[in-house]
Amino acid sequence: MEQLKTYFKGINPDDLVMEQMEFEENVYDILLEDWGESIGSVRMDELGVAEFFIYTDELDEIPGEMSKFDMIMQAEQFIERFYDSTFRHGLYLSAYIDLGEYHMILYNRKDERLNKELPHSGISFTMLSNGVLSAVERESMDFELVYPKTLITNEEAKRIYLNHLRILPVIAKYDNDIFVNGDDEYHYVYQLEDFILGVHTNGGILTSDSFGVGKTLMTSLPDLAEFIDIYTLAGMTEDHMLVAEAKTKSGRLEVWSKLPKKSLRVSEEDLLDDELDIPGAIKFVFNADGRLLKLMGLDDSETFVSGHVNSKVALLTATSVLQAVCDNPHDYFKLQQLDDNVISQKPANGIYDFTFIRQERGVQVADALVHIQIDDTGLVKYVDVDSEVLQDFSKVSFVASLTFKAATEMIKEKLFMELSWGKNIEKHQYTLTYLPTYPLTTGHIKMIDMNTGEPWVIDTSCMDQY
């Protein structure tokens, strides 16, 4: 415990105290003795330090910049100091990741039979650029390795993967922060679907269903009988007052409530925070053109309702909300349908949840979604509009010189299926699966430009693998 205090750079270790947290065995708060302020925590177990976190922002301001080599050496010294040979056995430096402000150093193990990496089998370090160690997270060691009884070849896995892979035409941003050579402009591209993730060793497919994300289906919006303004949809009445408002170049924020401002008992900063729900209030965020970007409705005061609504009525209400996002929403949105019939869904915890996908001239826009929640009384409780939704895509050319067949052949030529271990937290097991890789590129291919035929490759230059 005393040695951990030395990692709080710029703070005298004698000013720090460790206090065991109530109801949390072997978990300790790290406090500034004079102020009683928690600036970190540590969880211990029979192997030593299981988790170590530093919370205080003051350590971000310490000047200096630590090199990659010195960061790795600091991680090595931490391992030597706090863990015995049982934990250190088989541990090796797996990766160093430069995220700009933060840097991650990962240590893992390999299995003895195939000599393949076991992900999340060791310990990870997060450091600031100045070398301050902000987090340590050690993985559990009690996982069983399950070797397959049958093992198809990687060529068979490749064939199965390609048979199930869908390549979809979309509009996407060539984001310079994500892709190699990105220009931050929007292009008409083929997108590799994320639904199929890999191929099991027996020939079965691994899909996003395993992680609770189903295949995306789309359907048209229901017709609307009349226009209803967003304030009415959120349940506002003549008893509501505008208790706070903020105007900027990018738009405005409004907070409405039946309660006076003082009764909400929150600071002015929280009241005008566009990410924070305020109990007893309804918060709206609009852009400079008056288009709705966000709605948070936590006004639980009594509102007259004639009864509970079914999913069909809730969907009509959600579709009406889209009119506050843009004119003629039927021309720009499709309903994302994750089950067989979204119309028959039941409200989860009294809430109907809908997601709408932005379209441009009938083509889906990647990462452009509107999330809307309607409670079972029919009132709008939450709206979140992705920044991509209100972009102008009118100049995007739909001229395609690359055929679908050529795009498929390009993927087939560059794709390799690599046998990899995957960690199943619930079963405490590692199992083998073939995962798609592109060894002839610097990273993974996610898109192919329809006009130039250029593959969009995720930039992995921030990661050094060992």
Side-chain angles (χ1 to χ4, degrees), residues 99 232 327 346 398 447:
L99 299 174
T232 302
D327 295 329
K346 302 295 183 183
F398 285 173
M447 315 269 187

Side-chain angles (χ1 to χ4, degrees), residues 182-198:
D183 61 8
D184 284 339
E185 298 293 334
Y186 292 93
H187 299 262
Y188 188 37
V189 299
Y190 287 117
Q191 179 183 53
L192 277 66
E193 184 192 38
D194 288 332
F195 180 68
I196 178 168
L197 305 176

Side-chain angles (χ1 to χ4, degrees), residues 7 49 52 71-80 82-83 87 91 93 95-97 99 102-107 122-128 132-138:
Y7 287 92
V49 177
F52 175 54
M71 287 186 183
I72 292 174
M73 287 300 98
Q74 180 171 234
E76 300 273 0
Q77 291 163 8
F78 192 99
I79 293 171
E80 288 288 332
F82 292 104
Y83 305 101
F87 176 74
L91 203 64
L93 177 61
Y96 166 87
I97 307 172
L99 299 174
Y102 289 93
H103 304 257
M104 296 190 69
I105 302 165
L106 311 179
Y107 291 82
I123 188 170
S124 66
F125 298 84
T126 303
M127 300 182 192
L128 304 178
V132 171
L133 180 63
S134 64
V136 179
E137 296 184 76
R138 202 202 68 228

Side-chain angles (χ1 to χ4, degrees), residues 433-444:
T433 305
Y434 283 105
L435 300 179
T437 64
Y438 298 89
L440 298 180
T441 71
T442 57
H444 286 271

